Amino acid sequence: MKHIRRPAHQRSRDPGRLAFLLLVVAVMLGLSGGTSTAAADDMAEPTRSTVTVPARAMDAVAAMQPGWNLGNTLDAIPDEDSWGNGQTTKATFEKIAADGFRSVRIPVTWSDHQSATAPYTIDATYMVRVQQFVNWAQDSGLYVVLNVHHDSWQWVSKITSDHDNVMARFDSTWKQIAAVFRDEPRSLLFEGINEPQFENATEAEKTKYLNELQVSFHSIVRSSGGANTNRILSLTTPFGSGDQAYLDELYKTITSLNDRQLMAQVHYYSWYPFSVNVAGGTHYDDVAQKDLEDSFAAMHRTFVAKGVPLYIGEYGLLEYPNHFRPSRVERGEALKYYEHVGYGARRYGITTALWDPFAYLNRDSLEWRDPALMAWIKSAWTTRSGTASFDKAFVPKSGPITDKSLTLNLNGTKFQGVWQGSTKLAAGRDYTVSGTKLTFTAKALTRLVGDRSYGVNSTLRARFTSGLPWNIDIVTNDVPVLSDATGTADAFTVPTRYRGNDLATMHATYADGTNAGPTDWTPFQEFNKAFSPDYPNGTIILTPEFLETLRDGEPATLVFHFYSGSTVTYHVTKSGGSITGTTS
């Protein structure tokens, strides 16, 4: 995955271990002189890993579940701390292991630490730093997946026009990595290339080039000797895609190598409209759930059922959570996704690794930014949790209070009741259950909304026989009120009284029915790309990216959808560099 940036901060670089640095320098010199194997034989004592690795790749990969990614770190460009995560310490890996993770994927971008011309020598200091990470992780009892990461789009993608140089650099890169790590225990795995892509390539060419890269990677590592002769190697698909045609081609490559120490890798970021909140994908609905079920079933059918382990080397939602921008995915809907991933991994025998650029673990404090979210992710490793059709019940302020219902998603559990704090609500009086329909009575809601101020008035917890309780916010709201405004194509905001509402999406069209906005294949524009709520300042931001696509002099009709079910229509017209907004 490409990076998600956050505000940068800097810390001084760890100087590393001088003795090992000198040894790596010797290895690099040996490689340039064609004596890489001899140099590698003189390497320092390999890591004393505390991990006992099963002989079968299927069992070893299963033992790696669950996994975590040290994202935006050694894969950052140009340096480790360029994307805001500072300098990693051993404590980072100790924290991950202590919290139940069994493996860590360490993405590494080598480009800026490697000569761009033959013999493509990797900087010895950088190699020491990579080795330090691998040692720390294994010392913490973790399996490690080490790869070639953003190089995939920086230079490997140019194989279509610069084939020989790209292959020479790719082969040299892996010869150096294989030499340095040849005697590391099998708890270290190698991943040939992350999310490979090829400029201006047909599907047939993608298959050809990727097969060439992966076969070469396999040959180089296996011929390098030491523990590399039976180290588990990870092969992947174009872009890490789970499309069936790509899975089939990957299976062909793996079987052609006749090597039982291989695993297949893909990445999974959910059904795209839900993952980024575009095209109306505001809920983890039947379509999004089916996407996961179909994808995991295909992975199992193509690989796991045939004895090839499957590793989802990255999973999550795209730019969620992002603690520096409004959340594009509604929290409860996100929790359903993470719960489903954990269940799907167990059901289909797949090992997963959470992609964490900075969003989950605070790399400074080594505390989870959102402990409740992590509790859901961890719980899903072993059990199912019940949920509901939404995590809020909306009570309009402007009218009489009436009963409100949600649908329970039992997920194989049994409903046990509803609590407010330590107090259990009374079944029959405060709520009723008919099948999977949970209804809160008007009498209970009257008590729960209190003075009926806009927003969350109280929070309830629905409990089930296993897993975590499902939070239900009782929210007082009314239809939002938008106001007329003027501005420019560089800065325009819609004055908004949210009145207890959260913005879900924006539908944008012209009078002739065509779509308005940069995402022209759907009227529902992408959250935080075309529009974004600014709750503290009482506005909705229309981004310059959205405004610059508007037709000059032609009004666009915007319909703002809120999670309460309310909708508000608004009109914007661009005239040169000026923008005028009016209510319906």
Side-chain angles (χ1 to χ4, degrees):
M1 180 182 180
K2 290 193 177 181
H3 67 281
I4 302 170
R5 297 195 184 201
R6 71 172 173 122
H9 59 277
Q10 306 290 328
R11 285 185 289 184
S12 60
R13 178 177 291 277
D14 189 313
R17 293 169 292 176
L18 179 58
F20 189 71
L21 170 59
L22 295 174
L23 287 166
V24 173
V25 170
V27 172
M28 296 301 103
L29 293 174
L31 281 167
S32 63
T35 57
S36 59
T37 302
D41 288 338
D42 293 329
M43 291 299 292
E45 185 74 15
T47 299
R48 299 285 186 185
S49 175
T50 60
V51 178
T52 300
V53 183
R56 286 200 331 142
M58 184 70 76
D59 297 331
V61 175
M64 292 166 54
Q65 174 71 355
W68 179 80
N69 274 269
L70 185 71
N72 280 22
T73 306
L74 290 182
D75 56 315
I77 300 169
D79 296 307
E80 177 181 338
D81 50 14
S82 294
W83 292 349
N85 277 330
Q87 299 287 295
T88 297
T89 67
K90 185 177 182 181
T92 304
F93 300 100
E94 293 172 338
K95 166 67 174 178
I96 292 303
D99 277 11
F101 290 93
R102 295 177 179 172
S103 60
V104 58
R105 181 170 176 257
I106 302 178
V108 181
T109 301
W110 304 87
S111 301
D112 287 289
H113 308 277
Q114 179 185 36
S115 62
T117 56
Y120 308 104
T121 303
I122 296 171
D123 177 71
T125 303
Y126 190 66
M127 185 66 85
V128 167
R129 185 61 169 159
V130 175
Q131 173 73 10
Q132 188 174 49
F133 277 33
V134 171
N135 288 345
W136 282 343
Q138 291 186 107
D139 288 346
S140 300
L142 297 165
Y143 284 82
V144 179
V145 179
L146 184 67
N147 79 355
V148 170
H149 202 75
H150 290 308
D151 308 81
S152 61
W153 56 266
Q154 288 194 299
W155 55 270
V156 175
S157 63
K158 296 176 174 60
I159 193 172
T160 51
S161 58
D162 193 19
H163 174 273
D164 292 351
N165 287 327
V166 168
M167 283 304 303
R169 184 172 182 177
F170 181 80
D171 289 352
S172 176
T173 300
W174 271 111
K175 285 177 182 177
Q176 293 174 71
I177 298 169
V180 170
F181 293 97
R182 70 190 293 267
D183 292 319
E184 290 290 327
R186 287 179 65 247
S187 51
L188 171 64
L189 292 75
F190 289 157
E191 172 191 331
I193 187 73
N194 167 72
E195 297 186 355
Q197 52 191 282
F198 308 101
E199 294 179 356
N200 303 314
T202 65
E203 291 301 318
E205 288 171 334
K206 291 177 187 176
T207 297
K208 171 189 171 185
Y209 290 127
L210 181 54
N211 184 71
E212 183 177 8
L213 288 166
Q214 297 197 129
V215 169
S216 186
F217 157 68
H218 175 267
S219 175
I220 288 167
V221 174
R222 288 291 182 253
S223 64
S224 63
N228 288 341
T229 58
N230 70 336
R231 189 177 308 286
I232 299 173
L233 305 181
S234 176
L235 307 184
T236 191
T237 62
F239 292 100
S241 167
D243 288 355
Q244 187 63 57
Y246 291 152
L247 299 182
D248 292 339
E249 289 297 336
L250 177 56
Y251 181 73
K252 289 179 184 177
T253 298
I254 289 175
T255 54
S256 72
L257 292 172
N258 193 29
D259 185 338
R260 303 183 73 84
Q261 296 298 321
L262 301 178
M263 74 176 181
Q265 178 175 167
V266 299
H267 296 167
Y268 186 73
Y269 284 97
S270 190
W271 185 55
Y272 183 76
F274 171 69
S275 192
V276 303
N277 191 348
V278 70
T282 57
H283 289 71
Y284 193 60
D285 57 14
D286 291 344
V287 176
Q289 294 171 46
K290 185 176 185 297
D291 185 86
L292 187 145
E293 286 291 332
D294 290 349
S295 297
F296 280 35
M299 297 171 200
H300 179 274
R301 179 178 62 250
T302 308
F303 297 105
V304 180
K306 298 175 183 176
V308 179
L310 192 286
Y311 177 61
I312 297 182
E314 295 180 15
Y315 82 89
L317 296 171
L318 298 170
E319 287 202 42
Y320 178 93
N322 185 332
H323 304 282
F324 306 98
R325 302 187 71 185
S327 181
R328 62 166 64 189
V329 180
E330 199 277 333
R331 181 179 179 81
E333 302 305 294
L335 295 184
K336 294 176 190 177
Y337 162 76
Y338 289 106
E339 196 278 337
H340 196 185
V341 169
Y343 169 66
R346 287 182 283 114
R347 179 181 179 186
Y348 293 105
I350 295 171
T351 292
T352 61
L354 179 68
W355 176 254
D356 189 355
F358 61 81
Y360 301 88
L361 184 67
N362 184 316
R363 302 292 179 80
D364 294 320
S365 67
L366 294 185
E367 297 294 332
W368 297 111
R369 295 181 183 274
D370 187 340
L373 170 60
M374 285 308 301
W376 272 81
I377 292 173
K378 293 179 183 180
S379 178
W381 295 342
T382 58
T383 189
R384 296 223 70 177
S385 294
T387 67
S389 52
F390 206 57
D391 62 353
K392 295 176 179 62
F394 293 96
V395 180
K397 184 172 184 175
S398 58
I401 296 174
T402 59
D403 295 355
K404 297 294 176 184
S405 298
L406 297 171
T407 301
L408 297 172
N409 305 314
L410 296 175
N411 294 333
T413 71
K414 293 182 180 178
F415 176 72
Q416 289 190 317
V418 181
W419 277 256
Q420 183 182 19
S422 60
T423 302
K424 186 176 182 180
L425 273 61
R429 183 189 67 195
D430 296 325
Y431 68 89
T432 61
V433 177
S434 176
T436 58
K437 184 178 181 181
L438 170 65
T439 301
F440 295 105
T441 65
K443 182 176 181 180
L445 291 171
T446 300
R447 182 181 78 251
L448 292 168
V449 297
D451 64 1
R452 302 182 76 178
S453 58
Y454 287 131
V456 178
N457 303 131
S458 57
T459 299
L460 307 177
R461 288 191 162 194
R463 296 186 182 275
F464 304 85
T465 50
S466 68
L468 298 178
W470 180 253
N471 284 0
I472 302 171
D473 291 333
I474 307 301
V475 181
T476 293
N477 78 300
D478 271 327
V479 176
V481 176
L482 278 55
S483 301
D484 296 351
T486 58
T488 68
D490 295 323
F492 182 82
T493 60
V494 181
T496 305
R497 285 187 286 152
Y498 284 93
R499 305 211 294 179
N501 280 273
D502 291 328
L503 183 60
T505 188
M506 180 184 79
H507 181 282
T509 55
Y510 294 107
D512 62 5
T514 57
N515 302 327
T519 312
D520 58 6
W521 53 272
T522 173
F524 287 98
Q525 296 299 294
E526 185 174 335
F527 199 103
N528 281 346
K529 183 177 181 181
F531 67 96
S532 187
D534 183 352
Y535 299 112
N537 292 309
T539 67
I540 297 173
I541 299 168
L542 299 183
T543 67
E545 183 175 358
F546 171 78
L547 295 169
E548 70 182 10
T549 67
L550 294 180
R551 300 172 188 167
D552 197 70
E554 187 171 348
T557 298
L558 313 183
V559 181
F560 293 102
H561 294 248
F562 299 85
Y563 282 107
S564 65
S566 295
T567 60
V568 181
T569 300
Y570 197 76
H571 303 282
V572 291
T573 304
K574 181 171 73 172
S575 179
S578 299
I579 305 292
T580 301
T582 58
T583 57
S584 178

